[in-house]
Amino acid sequence: MERVLVNFFYCHPVGHAIEALYYANGHHAANPDREVAVVLNAATATELADHCPFISAKYVVDHPLFTYTNDSAARVAHLPREWDWVIDESRRYQDFQLAMFPGLKDYYAATDQHLKPTQGRTVVTSPKPGYLRRQHLRLELPETTVTQRTITIMPSGSSEPALYPSVDSWLLIMDALTDAYPDAKLVLVGKLAENDRTSTTLTEHDLKRLLGHRSQPENCFDRGLIEQLSAVQASDVFVSPHTGFGMAVLAAGTPWLTLSGGRWFEYFFNGVPFRSIIPDTDRFPSYSTFNELPVIDTDEGPRTPSMTRARITADLDRIVAAAGELRDGKVTYEQALSEYFPALLNAHNGDKSQLWSIDNVHMDYL
């Protein structure tokens, strides 16, 4: 049986683990009879691979990313050496990535020496070993008993607090959702505990205020990743700012309503209906990618323009309407795609060169 290794060592946020599994699924779909294994950064959500039945084996590598190291060979020595194909993460060939993450160069140099493919070495999405684009990744998660319709909220991601709505803004959103959909239980997910993985940049005091909302939301903070994803899978819709966790949500099959407008626009599309609430970028500058966004002082603390209460207030009706569309199944995946990309293009002043997506999905709609 042909053996393929998707060698995807990169940054630790959850979204990059999903990215690796998504690509592995595309290579598996091209030839379902072969074995597809994956290498992941030990600091990422490696347990997600255990919920992908098409993954024959996972290998976890503890290797620095932000610093050089002189023991890379020892750190990759446990990887099986012989494969038919080795398929690397393509960022290994991007000079600006190597400059930001010196350990990336050390890691791939070590695996260049250690791994011995018999048919070839290439990068993810390459047609040489076979790849089918726009496949739909689905995690097989434990089932959760559902007794009430739910809307799950992740208030912030792992970046600095200025990139996410304030607690006051979230209380405003929670008020509006509760009034519009009184049959829905609100559920809060995230992670306060700090370790070598990502955590939510929310304080215990912030969480206490959110849990004190009149809707009496359920607290799923600091539960295990798989348990939280199972809770999200049982929900009608997931609401958050841009976060890599949202990519895992789509892999769980739950619609994602994104309060878009951070550094990154939404670029992962996985066969699930979604809505990205794109701000008026003339009023609320957004989408700087690796560059910084302006931060302004407000009565709710430092915020980027698109995460201020003024922006949330301006888009509140759109947020509530989109939540209703998604939870009631009134928007299809194809409709979401066909409406999102023109709006995103408009937010970039018609410059198509500024847009990108995993598997170049956007190219089919512009």
Side-chain angles (χ1 to χ4, degrees), residues 19 21 26 31 53 61 73 88 104 114 118 163 172-173 175 203 215 231 261 275 289 299 308 316 348 353 355 357 366:
E19 198 178 352
L21 298 173
N31 185 353
V61 175
D88 292 328
L104 204 64
H114 179 75
T118 59
L163 286 168
L172 188 67
I173 294 169
D175 274 341
T203 67
S215 63
R275 286 298 196 196
T289 62
D299 59 359
T308 59
L316 190 58
H348 287 80
S353 69
L355 306 189
S357 61
L366 294 177

Side-chain angles (χ1 to χ4, degrees), residues 320-339:
V320 173
E325 282 185 312
L326 293 173
R327 85 181 204 120
D328 294 332
K330 294 180 178 178
V331 58
T332 67
Y333 176 57
E334 289 298 322
Q335 177 188 351
L337 290 170
S338 64
E339 294 175 358

